[in-house]
């Protein structure tokens, strides 16, 4: 039947074309404007033109925003290329602001940098806590948010108090606290934590047990994985600004160079969880970061502001006699390298080798902190952790690699850089003791030196 209908319509169209041709030959107006045209011509020509006119009118009205109330208003679309370049400009601008702000803080001094670390820790904790936060439920249970921040404060006091033990002791003694007060620090923190557990149990509400315990676990995982590791940044800062700057800036350099090498040469995907990362970008960034790490160690080691440790909580500039870590030393070159280069020794500062080690971790292991954060976002179906930095997302999106890097720098320095005993620290500790204890230490040292034959 369908085929027959199509054939009938085709025959009618042929007849109409023939009639129209005859009409045109007789001098009449063509098409449906002709009064001599048949009703079939009007059906074929007039109605379609009315529809086209209506369609064109509606399209114009939609663009102008004056169309039918039932019709969807079409807004002008932004071209993808313009939007992409606009986002890139915003991202690049804020990157420059953050880099210059970073070096401005370094020049301001240890206390200012440490203060920013505290603010960043608070922001990281807030952003990560918000990933699982149910606003509607917490309106009925305000104690959940109180418990969350109570545990945060207790944990911060415990973590920073331990990592900054010499500075905290000096601060307490200079402000009139008894000499043994600091020894109660950990016990006080434990008591405060126990009170937090009691308060958590007492504030549980029927019907919300699951959510309360979910937030309790999420809070403690955030404290352990994020706040604990970033608390070691304070120790890095006060041990000498250079041990904070080289690890932190190595991560920044690695991130930028990985993007540049990936855009220029990227072909081979690196990891499934982050499809835009490539092996070419990863390898190129590793080489560039190690070179920059070596240069940073060379340049920064010349300034006392960068190498001197800060032993007190004040705004005074630091001065010291740089340790052997920042002085040139002759190193024996392995024979298999001497065979090709002819060099038997090479003169370097130990800090330059430490700079290479820190930069190597920042470029090889550091990115996996970012991959870990990407996995969390994908699991929770989030694009970013926040929107505090235009073009970059939240602070967690920018500091995900810094978390792991700061922890590595802390343990690396305690193992390979500050492995020798600090005589000044021992003397200061002895001088803070009671007179009886000082005499006991003195007698013990004298007896041991006599036993070893160093004194008569």
């Amino acid at each position: 039947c369908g085929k027959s209908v199509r054939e009938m319509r085709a025959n009618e169209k042929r007849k109409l074309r023939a009639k129209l041709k005859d009409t045109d030959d007789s001098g009449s107006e063509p098409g449906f404007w002709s009064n001599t045209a048949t009703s079939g011509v009007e059906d074929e020509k007039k109605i379609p033109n009315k529809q086209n006119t209506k369609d064109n009118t509606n399209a114009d009205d939609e663009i102008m925003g004056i169309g039918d109330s039932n019709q969807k208003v079409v807004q002008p679309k932004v071209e993808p290329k313009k939007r992409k370049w606009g986002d890139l400009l915003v991202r690049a601008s804020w990157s420059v602001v953050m880099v210059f702000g970073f070096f401005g803080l370094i020049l301001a001094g240890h206390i200012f940098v440490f203060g920013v670390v505290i603010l960043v820790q608070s922001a990281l904790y807030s952003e990560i806590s918000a990933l699982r936060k149910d606003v509607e439920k917490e309106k009925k249970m305000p104690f959940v948010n109180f418990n969350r921040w109570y545990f945060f404060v207790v944990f911060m006091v415990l973590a920073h108090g331990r990592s900054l033990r010499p500075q905290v002791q000096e601060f307490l003694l200079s402000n009139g606290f008894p000499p043994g007060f600091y020894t109660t620090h950990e016990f006080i923190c434990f008591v405060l934590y126990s009170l937090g557990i009691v308060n958590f149990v007492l504030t549980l509400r029927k019907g919300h047990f699951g959510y309360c315990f979910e937030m309790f676990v999420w809070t403690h995982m955030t404290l352990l994985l994020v706040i604990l590791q970033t608390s070691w940044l304070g120790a890095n800062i006060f041990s000498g600004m250079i041990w904070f700057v080289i690890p932190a800036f190595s991560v920044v350099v690695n991130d930028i160079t990985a993007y540049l090498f990936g855009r220029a040469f990227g072909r081979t995907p690196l990891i499934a969880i982050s499809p835009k990362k490539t092996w070419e970008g990863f390898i190129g960034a590793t080489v560039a970061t190690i070179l920059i790490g070596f240069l940073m160690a060379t340049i920064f080691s010349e300034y006392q502001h960068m190498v001197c440790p800060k032993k007190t909580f004040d705004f005074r500039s630091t001065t010291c006699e740089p340790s052997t870590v920042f002085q040139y030393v002759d190193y024996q070159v392995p024979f298999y390298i001497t065979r090709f280069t002819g060099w038997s020794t090479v003169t370097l500062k130990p800090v330059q080798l430490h700079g290479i080690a820190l930069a190597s971790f920042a470029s090889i292991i550091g990115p996996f902190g970012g991959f870990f954060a990407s996995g969390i976002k994908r699991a929770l179906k989030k694009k970013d952790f926040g929107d505090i930095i235009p073009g970059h997302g939240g602070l967690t999106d920018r500091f995900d690699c810094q978390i792991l890097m700061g922890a590595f720098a802390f343990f690396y320095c305690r193992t390979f850089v500050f492995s020798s005993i600090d005589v000044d620290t021992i003397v200061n500790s002895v001088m803070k003791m009671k007179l009886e204890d000082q005499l006991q230490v003195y007698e013990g040292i004298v007896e041991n030196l006599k036993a070893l034959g160093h004194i008569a």
Side-chain angles (χ1 to χ4, degrees):
C1 293
K3 185 176 181 181
S4 301
V5 171
R6 287 195 295 271
E7 290 177 354
M8 291 174 61
R9 289 179 178 174
N11 292 332
E12 289 179 0
K13 288 180 179 179
R14 282 195 292 270
K15 291 178 182 180
L16 289 171
R17 291 193 191 98
K19 289 180 180 180
L20 287 171
K21 186 177 180 180
D22 294 337
T23 305
D24 291 337
D25 293 338
S26 63
S28 300
E29 294 181 0
F32 62 82
W33 300 110
S34 174
N35 292 330
T36 59
T38 61
S39 59
V41 175
E42 292 178 352
D43 292 339
E44 285 290 318
K45 294 288 183 179
K46 255 186 182 178
I47 295 175
N49 274 278
K50 288 181 180 178
Q51 292 174 347
N52 292 338
T53 304
K54 182 179 179 180
D55 292 340
N56 292 336
T57 303
N58 290 339
D60 293 337
D61 290 345
E62 286 175 355
I63 294 173
M64 297 298 294
I66 58 173
D68 216 48
S69 58
N70 295 328
Q71 294 176 350
K72 184 178 179 180
V73 178
V74 179
Q75 299 294 340
K77 295 182 179 180
V78 180
E79 296 182 9
K81 287 186 177 180
K82 290 184 178 180
R83 183 176 181 180
K84 180 179 178 180
W85 282 106
D87 293 342
L88 184 61
L89 180 62
V90 172
R91 185 181 179 90
S93 300
W94 276 93
S95 297
V96 172
V97 170
M98 287 188 288
V99 169
F100 279 96
F102 175 78
F103 282 107
L105 281 173
I106 299 303
L107 294 175
H110 300 70
I111 299 297
F112 288 99
V113 178
F114 181 65
V116 171
V117 168
I118 299 295
L119 294 177
V120 169
Q121 285 182 294
S122 304
L124 295 177
Y125 185 73
S126 178
E127 289 180 352
I128 297 175
S129 297
L131 294 176
R132 304 295 294 174
K133 184 177 180 179
D134 191 321
V135 178
E136 295 301 322
K137 287 184 179 179
E138 295 201 9
K139 285 181 179 178
K140 304 175 184 177
M141 300 179 292
F143 50 83
V144 174
N145 194 51
F146 171 80
N147 290 337
R148 179 184 294 121
W149 287 100
Y150 176 85
F151 285 121
F152 170 78
V153 173
V154 172
F155 202 87
M156 290 281 283
V157 173
L158 174 64
H160 286 296
R162 285 180 59 85
S163 62
L164 296 175
R165 185 185 301 269
Q167 289 80 9
V168 172
Q169 285 181 327
E170 177 66 27
F171 175 80
L172 293 176
L173 290 173
S174 61
N175 285 274
F177 287 89
F181 181 79
Y182 179 79
T183 58
T184 62
H185 163 255
E186 295 178 1
F187 178 77
I188 292 174
C189 290
F190 176 76
V191 171
L192 292 175
Y193 177 79
S194 300
L195 293 176
I197 296 292
V198 172
N199 183 65
F200 169 77
V201 174
L202 292 176
T203 53
L204 288 172
R205 292 294 180 269
K206 187 177 180 180
H208 299 288
F209 291 161
Y211 179 76
C212 290
F213 278 99
E214 179 186 349
M215 289 296 98
F216 182 84
V217 173
W218 187 261
T219 294
H220 281 69
M221 289 301 296
T222 305
L223 291 173
L224 290 174
L225 292 176
V226 179
I227 305 306
L228 175 62
Q229 296 187 75
T230 53
S231 67
W232 291 320
L233 292 173
N236 297 342
I237 294 168
F238 283 90
S239 297
M241 195 74 78
I242 193 171
W243 307 115
F244 170 77
V245 174
I246 291 179
F249 201 66
S250 292
V251 171
V252 176
V253 170
N254 183 259
D255 191 28
I256 295 173
T257 53
Y259 173 79
L260 296 176
F261 280 100
R263 287 295 299 266
F265 309 105
R267 297 292 182 273
T268 311
L270 175 63
I271 189 169
I273 200 171
S274 188
K276 294 183 179 180
K277 304 294 183 182
T278 62
W279 274 104
E280 291 80 3
F282 181 80
I283 295 172
T286 299
V287 176
T289 305
I290 291 174
L291 291 175
I292 296 297
F294 181 84
L295 290 175
M296 285 192 294
T298 304
I299 296 171
F300 295 151
S301 62
E302 299 294 330
Y303 299 93
Q304 289 195 7
H305 178 73
M306 301 297 293
V307 303
C308 292
K310 182 73 172 174
K311 298 181 180 180
T312 57
F313 287 120
D314 57 46
F315 296 96
R316 292 176 296 180
S317 59
T318 57
T319 57
C320 66
E321 183 66 29
S323 67
T324 55
V325 176
F326 306 104
Q327 298 174 9
Y328 284 103
V329 178
D330 290 332
Y331 289 93
Q332 191 71 29
V333 177
F335 71 92
Y336 48 85
I337 297 179
T338 303
R339 182 181 303 175
F340 295 100
T341 61
W343 299 341
S344 58
T345 60
V346 61
T347 304
L348 293 171
K349 294 180 180 180
V351 69
Q352 293 173 318
L353 301 179
H354 296 315
I356 292 175
L358 293 170
S360 298
F361 185 90
S363 55
I364 298 173
I365 307 297
F368 284 86
F371 300 151
F372 182 84
S374 297
I376 293 176
K377 289 188 288 186
R378 289 179 180 273
L380 299 177
K381 298 180 180 179
K382 301 285 185 180
K383 183 179 182 295
D384 294 313
F385 284 98
D387 56 1
I388 191 172
I389 308 175
H392 291 267
L395 280 174
T396 311
D397 295 287
R398 290 297 89 207
F399 284 86
D400 47 10
C401 299
Q402 298 284 1
I403 295 172
L404 190 60
M405 187 69 224
F408 172 78
F410 174 82
F411 288 108
Y412 178 86
C413 290
R414 292 306 177 277
T415 304
F416 301 105
V417 180
F418 308 134
S419 56
S420 59
I421 299 175
D422 187 354
V423 177
D424 291 337
T425 301
I426 295 175
V427 172
N428 290 332
S429 299
V430 172
M431 295 306 297
K432 294 170 186 175
M433 296 179 180
K434 297 179 181 179
L435 179 59
E436 296 81 3
D437 296 332
Q438 291 176 350
L439 293 174
Q440 188 176 356
V441 171
Y442 171 76
E443 292 172 358
I445 293 174
V446 170
E447 289 179 2
N448 281 275
L449 290 176
K450 286 181 178 180
L452 294 172
H454 296 306
I455 59 175

